[in-house]
Amino acid sequence: MIVKPIGERVLLKHQKKEEVTKGGIYIPESARQEKKEGIVVAVGTFEDGKELPLKKDDHVIYGEYQADEIEIDDEKYIFVDFKDILATVVEE
């Protein structure tokens, strides 16, 4: 299935929660804080038809209560308004 966001929206693939810290300590589900990060799957356009300044596979951070979660083919995805994306993550 191909999903194309309408308007200034971005479709993100949900980032899974970490179950173990870098030091090897198990984090119980009740204590896990959900990451507000995702990988761009598809982007919409500005009202004037110009493309949003994001591309597929960009790693982004978005606002805490700004997303609509959906499930497609047993995978979790998130729709976020472009204005609610706070930053892109660049690996060093």
Side-chain angles (χ1 to χ4, degrees):
M1 177 185 308
I2 296 174
V3 177
K4 175 77 172 151
I6 296 174
E8 296 178 14
R9 292 183 183 84
V10 180
L11 180 64
L12 305 174
K13 185 169 185 181
H14 187 71
Q15 290 292 94
K16 297 184 188 225
K17 301 176 192 175
E18 292 182 19
E19 295 181 13
V20 179
T21 66
K22 290 181 182 179
I25 299 172
Y26 173 76
I27 303 171
E29 183 139 359
S30 61
R32 290 184 209 156
Q33 187 173 20
E34 188 170 330
K35 288 184 170 187
K36 301 300 177 192
E37 297 180 31
I39 304 297
V40 175
V41 175
V43 295
T45 59
F46 287 114
E47 288 182 15
D48 62 4
K50 292 183 182 177
E51 292 185 12
L52 298 176
L54 292 171
K55 60 185 181 304
K56 189 175 189 228
D57 296 326
D58 279 351
H59 184 175
V60 298
I61 299 171
Y62 57 92
E64 189 161 347
Y65 297 107
Q66 316 303 337
D68 293 314
E69 200 170 283
I70 63 168
E71 195 168 309
I72 302 170
D73 298 331
D74 297 326
E75 289 280 339
K76 287 187 179 181
Y77 293 91
I78 304 160
F79 273 110
V80 179
D81 287 335
F82 174 69
K83 66 180 176 63
D84 295 326
I85 293 181
L86 306 174
T88 57
V89 178
V90 179
E91 300 294 326
E92 291 186 274

